[in-house]
Amino acid sequence: MYRLSRRPIYAALRSGNPTPWQSSHELVVENDANPSQPQNRRRFSLLNTAKTDLGTNSSRHGSGYSQLHFYFGRPLGAVRYEATVAATDTSNPTAEKFEYQAEVSRLMDLIVHSLYSNKEVFLRELVSNASDALDKLRFLSVTEPELLRDAVDLDIRIQSDKDNGIITITDSGIGMTRQELVDCLGTIAQSGTAKFLKALKDSKDVGSDSNLIGQFGVGFYSAFLVSDRVVVSTKSVKSDKQYVWEGEANNSSYTIREETDPEKLLQRGTRLTLYLKREDKDFAHPERIQNLVKNYSQFVCFPIYTWQEKGFTKEVEVDEDPAEAKKEGDDAKTEKKKKTKTVVERYWDWELTNETKPLWLRNPKDVTTEEYNEFYKKTFNEYLEPLACSHFTTEGEVEFRSILFVPAMTPMGRDDIINPKTRNIRLYVKRVFISDDFDGELFPRYLSFVKGVVDSNDLPLNVSREILQESRIVRIMRKRLVRKTFDMILGISMSENRDDYDKFWENFGKNLKLGCIEDKENHKRIAPLLRFFSSQSEQELISLDEYVENMKPEQKDIYYIAADNLTSAKNTPFLERLLEKDYEVLFLVEPIDEVAIQNLKSYKEKNFVDISKEDLDLGDKNEDREKEMKQEYGKTCDWIKKRLGDKVASVQISNRLSTSPCVLVSGKFGWSANMERLMKAQTLGDTSSLEYMRGRRVFEINPEHPIIKDLNAACSSNPDSTDALRAIDLLYDTALISSGFTPENPSELGSKIYEMMGVAISGKWANPVAEDRRSPRVENAEPVEAEVVEPVIDAKAEK
């Protein structure tokens, strides 16, 4: 009894090259009597056309079968086809059994569960090993050209069988001999790459510069992350024999045998066949294989082909409906047209997966802006062009290449300030992707919006190559990357197009302010990039350099006021004297602004001064005037302090007011009104520290204001007046609000205001009848001449 199965394989016809639309079938004829015997199991490939008769070709002696040719790893015409063995014959009695030179059960457990943090890196490791094999062959061929006499292309090919959970990785590299199989795959952590690099270094004929990455000798065993069984078939360019290594997970031994099946022979190189675990069979899906190659091995210098299903559309004829055909036949004059429909023809073929070239290896002078933009969009899945780009190479004790980009906008639905793991920096080691999951090792949190690639040849990694080790080299790399980023941002700020930096500041200004808090070492680089509104620039943001240039000759400090919005900042009473003196004041209207400025402390030897704090020095002190005012209003200040009690620390004469009667200022070392408001609004804030950090409040009065003059008179004549004391209370509550503080008892304040309003308007509109009796006012009336009336003389009076 025979059974017929259909699978995609690599095969070609001896007579010629097949067309792309021909379908690939694998025909397995198996004798159920003893299917394990090679003589009873026959496998061949058939590239058939649409009209191939499988029944005819399935015969052992059929004419179609006689034209088939089994071939693996050899070019045929312009297209290369390969036959892949889906299973390995383990019943060969000539296979030798070897024991690992380590306690494999424990070591395998470490590799599978501890060494690698992500299963999908197995493909990265195996492709890297294949790349190393190709690199070795290319290096040796410089002095031994005969190694490339077979003219097989240097490439890597990956085929997957998702139904059976099998992945095959084939390279045309240098291959391994029997002894190398024992040394490299039989001794775990024995690195053939490390030996090869040492030989290159010791050799005088061959330079030591190479891009080999397999330093630790455990990359191959990452295959057991997803596999139960691994079969390695390899043929070295230095040997005429091909050997097969086979091992299973959690097994202390492996087997090595010579390959005798002509269908499975390689011309040179290595073929790895992975038999996946049941729970990991989804890795064998062709699309996932392709995505893993693009993610981890996109920039490997050798071409990587994956076996993918493709399709093309074509028109085919369809059978006509008999009724319609009869109707059309009645009309002899009507020209008969054949009906067609569009169908999709499916076929399997190799597809080049790593088409994108490593742009950072090229000279920046040879790369155009369009190429940078295209690389940015393709690598980071962006649709907008970046605002800036920096392509540089760092040499010295640390060597690496990098391309950094500043995005045009923030990512949607994510705040990079609170999420340092943005996956925006892709780390490569010798063009092999290592990781994009960092927690501040290469970039600080406030610069997490920067995107780019970093490629290093000597970056200190652990064995798994996924976790950076904290070292001096990493710190040096971080400093240089941050420095280049600031140079790039500074270039945007100095651009002729001011809109570019306005766009950058709108998206990433908060990040730089966060840098003022977290990165004191780079304050000098961050400060010139900051932008704020000011009392002289309410519509356009200005830099600190522009502020310093506009400072008055007698001005010593940089003044600022923090508020919840721009309107509150413009109307605050703290500005009155500064505006009279034409001093510019920065408006800090974002929650992070005040903390950022306080961490900067100064800029170009100019201190930042909060105009809402006590002891404000405007540089125009008049000691005689102050002494005179203290003598005149000293008793009034004590009287007001006695009335307010512990609400204020002191009452003083103000030098910052001109039109307002009073203001409430914060202590020099306490929270400002704005900071106190922000801390109260914290969801997880510590309310117990509010009283301590709130600090002292100073009540400053303006001696030139009429209200203060009236209170001064009341203090001298009638200090116990109820109206005067209530006026002090209302004056304090009003100053509390105008200075940015929150009243502790808003309802009490409202009652005071209503009471004062009642006194002010009492009876003003209470007698409308009397108002109506008044003579109406006639507007635009013409003047009337006065009539002269002669006096009447009474005759009796005369008598």
Side-chain angles (χ1 to χ4, degrees):
M1 184 175 179
Y2 297 89
R3 64 179 177 85
L4 184 66
S5 65
R6 177 179 178 180
R7 299 174 187 169
I9 67 163
Y10 313 85
L13 294 176
R14 180 192 298 272
S15 59
N17 296 330
T19 55
W21 56 84
Q22 287 176 324
S23 301
S24 175
H25 300 279
E26 180 183 43
L27 192 61
V28 179
V29 182
E30 188 171 293
N31 191 336
D32 288 348
N34 192 357
S36 62
Q37 297 299 324
Q39 63 269 21
N40 293 326
R41 180 182 177 92
R42 302 189 301 278
R43 185 185 302 271
F44 60 92
S45 298
L46 179 62
L47 295 173
N48 63 331
T49 60
K51 297 182 179 180
T52 299
D53 186 359
L54 290 177
T56 303
N57 291 336
S58 62
S59 173
R60 178 175 181 180
H61 303 289
S63 59
Y65 180 82
S66 63
Q67 296 178 2
L68 294 178
H69 177 65
F70 302 103
Y71 202 92
F72 189 93
R74 295 179 174 83
L76 185 61
V79 184
R80 175 182 174 183
Y81 294 85
E82 298 180 358
T84 302
V85 181
T88 302
D89 187 2
T90 60
S91 62
N92 194 331
T94 61
E96 299 182 61
K97 188 175 182 181
F98 294 85
E99 295 290 333
Y100 288 106
Q101 297 181 10
E103 191 173 346
V104 174
S105 60
R106 295 181 61 186
L107 189 54
M108 284 294 185
D109 184 72
L110 285 174
I111 293 175
V112 174
H113 298 101
S114 302
L115 189 59
Y116 295 98
S117 59
N118 191 357
K119 280 188 174 184
E120 65 184 21
V121 300
F122 82 93
L123 191 63
R124 177 195 71 186
E125 298 294 318
L126 299 180
V127 170
S128 298
N129 288 343
S131 175
D132 279 354
L134 294 168
D135 262 329
K136 291 178 186 179
L137 180 61
R138 185 175 59 181
F139 290 153
L140 294 177
S141 66
V142 175
T143 56
E144 302 178 51
E146 65 275 7
L147 296 179
L148 297 177
R149 60 184 179 271
D150 49 16
V152 177
D153 294 336
L154 298 177
D155 59 18
I156 303 170
R157 296 178 181 263
I158 306 175
Q159 183 194 16
S160 60
D161 182 355
K162 64 180 180 180
D163 296 330
N164 298 312
I166 300 174
I167 298 177
T168 304
I169 304 172
T170 306
D171 68 77
S172 56
I174 192 170
M176 288 181 284
T177 63
R178 179 183 178 281
Q179 188 59 40
E180 287 172 341
L181 281 175
V182 175
D183 294 340
C184 297
L185 302 188
T187 304
I188 297 180
Q190 175 77 14
S191 173
T193 300
K195 288 184 178 180
F196 184 76
L197 287 175
K198 186 177 184 301
L200 285 178
K201 188 175 182 179
D202 296 338
S203 174
K204 297 181 180 179
D205 300 328
V206 182
S208 60
D209 183 18
S210 69
N211 289 320
L212 304 181
I213 65 175
Q215 300 291 319
F216 300 104
V218 296
F220 165 76
Y221 298 96
S222 64
F224 291 101
L225 289 171
V226 296
S227 305
D228 285 324
R229 183 163 62 100
V230 178
V231 177
V232 181
S233 183
T234 180
K235 183 179 184 301
S236 173
V237 294
K238 301 178 181 179
S239 175
D240 295 332
K241 296 182 179 180
Q242 180 173 327
Y243 295 94
V244 178
W245 181 99
E246 183 172 349
E248 295 183 1
N250 301 322
N251 197 336
S252 61
S253 63
Y254 61 92
T255 61
I256 296 179
R257 59 182 173 83
E258 182 181 347
E259 183 62 77
T260 57
D261 190 347
E263 299 179 12
K264 303 174 184 178
L265 292 180
L266 299 170
Q267 197 160 354
R268 73 158 187 260
T270 304
R271 179 177 68 244
L272 273 73
T273 305
L274 311 182
Y275 296 87
L276 302 181
K277 302 175 183 177
R278 179 177 301 178
E279 64 271 17
D280 295 319
K281 284 188 176 181
D282 57 329
F283 281 105
H285 197 284
E287 291 184 2
R288 186 164 189 185
I289 290 291
Q290 189 177 53
N291 292 334
L292 290 178
V293 171
K294 288 183 177 180
N295 187 34
Y296 289 100
S297 306
Q298 178 73 21
F299 302 106
V300 170
C301 59
F302 297 100
I304 303 175
Y305 295 91
T306 57
W307 188 247
Q308 299 293 327
E309 184 180 17
K310 300 182 179 181
F312 67 95
T313 59
K314 67 177 183 180
E315 297 289 333
V316 296
E317 297 182 6
V318 296
D319 297 334
E320 296 183 359
D321 189 3
E324 294 183 1
K326 183 178 180 180
K327 183 178 180 181
E328 291 178 359
D330 296 339
D331 190 358
K333 297 180 180 180
T334 303
E335 185 178 356
K336 188 176 182 180
K337 295 182 179 180
K338 297 181 179 179
K339 291 187 176 182
T340 61
K341 68 176 181 179
T342 303
V343 296
V344 178
E345 186 75 15
R346 298 289 181 180
Y347 67 98
W348 290 82
D349 196 5
W350 291 113
E351 182 176 323
L352 181 63
T353 304
N354 57 336
E355 296 178 334
T356 306
K357 302 302 179 183
L359 198 66
W360 59 83
L361 297 181
R362 296 169 55 184
N363 191 329
K365 297 180 181 179
D366 300 333
V367 185
T368 63
T369 303
E370 290 74 16
E371 288 177 312
Y372 283 125
N373 294 341
E374 185 65 24
F375 176 83
Y376 169 75
K377 293 178 180 178
K378 194 169 185 178
T379 304
F380 300 101
N381 296 322
E382 293 284 346
Y383 62 93
L384 295 177
E385 296 180 354
L387 289 178
C389 171
S390 178
H391 182 187
F392 60 93
T393 301
T394 300
E395 298 179 350
E397 55 184 333
V398 178
E399 297 183 4
F400 65 91
R401 299 171 181 267
S402 179
I403 302 180
L404 302 178
F405 300 94
V406 175
M409 63 180 298
T410 55
M412 301 297 294
R414 188 179 67 189
D415 191 351
D416 287 351
I417 293 182
I418 62 175
N419 181 18
K421 296 185 178 181
T422 56
R423 301 184 181 273
N424 287 340
I425 299 299
R426 298 176 61 85
L427 175 64
Y428 293 82
V429 172
K430 299 165 186 175
R431 300 185 307 278
V432 175
F433 175 67
I434 300 301
S435 178
D436 58 359
D437 186 7
F438 301 110
D439 192 8
E441 290 94 341
L442 291 179
F443 263 87
R445 181 174 68 153
Y446 68 94
L447 291 179
S448 57
F449 62 88
V450 178
K451 298 185 177 183
V453 296
V454 179
D455 187 8
S456 173
N457 290 339
D458 54 357
L459 193 65
L461 304 172
N462 66 358
V463 179
S464 70
R465 296 192 290 168
E466 297 176 79
I467 305 172
L468 283 177
Q469 295 176 348
E470 182 62 28
S471 68
R472 179 171 171 269
I473 295 179
V474 175
R475 290 194 295 269
I476 294 175
M477 288 183 63
R478 175 189 170 112
K479 287 183 179 180
R480 296 185 180 178
L481 289 171
V482 171
R483 189 179 306 168
K484 288 293 184 179
T485 299
F486 281 124
D487 293 341
M488 183 169 50
I489 298 174
L490 185 61
I492 302 176
S493 66
M494 299 176 65
S495 174
E496 296 180 356
N497 188 2
R498 190 182 179 96
D499 293 339
D500 288 343
Y501 196 76
D502 291 341
K503 186 187 300 182
F504 167 82
W505 184 256
E506 180 182 357
N507 289 296
F508 309 111
K510 294 179 181 179
N511 295 68
L512 296 184
K513 294 173 184 177
L514 180 64
C516 296
I517 303 171
E518 295 187 343
D519 192 357
K520 294 183 179 180
E521 295 181 359
N522 288 300
H523 276 178
K524 292 184 178 179
R525 293 185 174 91
I526 298 175
L529 304 175
L530 300 178
R531 298 292 185 271
F532 302 99
F533 291 106
S534 73
S535 58
Q536 297 181 7
S537 180
E538 300 176 1
Q539 303 296 328
E540 189 174 353
L541 294 167
I542 65 168
S543 65
L544 295 179
D545 289 326
E546 292 173 327
Y547 181 95
V548 173
E549 291 177 1
N550 297 333
M551 289 177 62
K552 301 298 179 183
E554 67 277 9
Q555 185 178 347
K556 299 180 181 179
D557 301 317
I558 300 175
Y559 299 110
Y560 70 88
I561 180 68
D564 56 346
N565 55 63
L566 199 59
T567 303
S568 299
K570 291 189 295 184
N571 297 318
T572 181
F574 299 105
L575 285 174
E576 294 174 358
R577 283 293 304 279
L578 287 98
L579 294 181
E580 287 183 356
K581 297 175 70 66
D582 200 23
Y583 286 173
E584 190 172 12
V585 179
L586 297 177
F587 292 159
L588 310 185
V589 295
E590 292 187 356
I592 197 175
D593 288 352
E594 186 175 1
V595 183
I597 290 296
Q598 289 175 353
N599 278 269
L600 281 181
K601 296 181 180 179
S602 64
Y603 181 71
K604 291 187 175 180
E605 300 180 355
K606 306 288 185 181
N607 295 326
F608 290 101
V609 175
D610 187 351
I611 63 173
S612 68
K613 297 290 185 71
E614 64 177 335
D615 297 334
L616 178 65
D617 184 10
L618 298 180
D620 57 351
K621 287 187 176 181
N622 188 335
E623 295 182 359
D624 295 337
R625 173 67 175 169
E626 290 182 1
K627 186 177 181 180
E628 180 181 345
M629 286 297 173
K630 286 182 179 180
Q631 290 179 352
E632 182 178 355
Y633 287 89
K635 292 183 179 180
T636 303
C637 291
D638 295 339
W639 177 56
I640 296 175
K641 174 63 175 71
K642 182 179 179 181
R643 175 61 180 177
L644 297 178
D646 294 336
K647 295 180 179 179
V648 296
S650 63
V651 180
Q652 300 176 3
I653 304 298
S654 178
N655 65 339
R656 72 185 86 206
L657 299 177
S658 60
T659 59
S660 299
C662 59
V663 71
L664 196 63
V665 302
S666 303
K668 189 173 183 180
F669 301 104
W671 282 340
S672 65
N674 181 69
M675 184 59 63
E676 184 177 325
R677 175 181 57 83
L678 293 175
M679 296 308 296
K680 285 182 178 180
Q682 295 297 316
T683 304
L684 302 177
D686 184 9
T687 57
S688 62
S689 64
L690 291 178
E691 291 297 326
Y692 172 75
M693 290 302 299
R694 184 169 61 180
R696 48 182 283 165
R697 296 176 180 176
V698 179
F699 191 65
E700 293 188 358
I701 59 175
N702 179 12
E704 303 296 334
H705 198 277
I707 295 178
I708 302 301
K709 291 182 179 180
D710 290 341
L711 287 178
N712 188 37
C715 177
S716 301
S717 60
N718 190 5
D720 298 328
S721 173
T722 304
D723 293 339
L725 296 177
R726 291 165 64 187
I728 293 175
D729 294 339
L730 185 60
L731 201 64
Y732 169 79
D733 291 335
T734 307
L736 196 71
I737 297 176
S738 63
S739 302
F741 294 96
T742 303
E744 297 178 358
N745 194 345
S747 61
E748 183 180 351
L749 174 61
S751 300
K752 294 177 182 178
I753 295 176
Y754 297 151
E755 184 178 353
M756 295 296 291
M757 290 178 62
V759 174
I761 65 176
S762 177
K764 190 172 183 180
W765 302 285
N767 194 2
V769 178
E771 185 72 18
D772 293 339
R773 289 179 179 177
R774 295 180 182 178
S775 300
R777 182 179 179 182
V778 181
E779 297 181 358
N780 301 326
E782 296 181 358
V784 180
E785 295 182 0
E787 182 181 357
V788 179
V789 181
E790 296 292 338
V792 178
I793 301 174
D794 191 354
K796 293 181 179 181
E798 291 181 355
K799 291 180 180 181

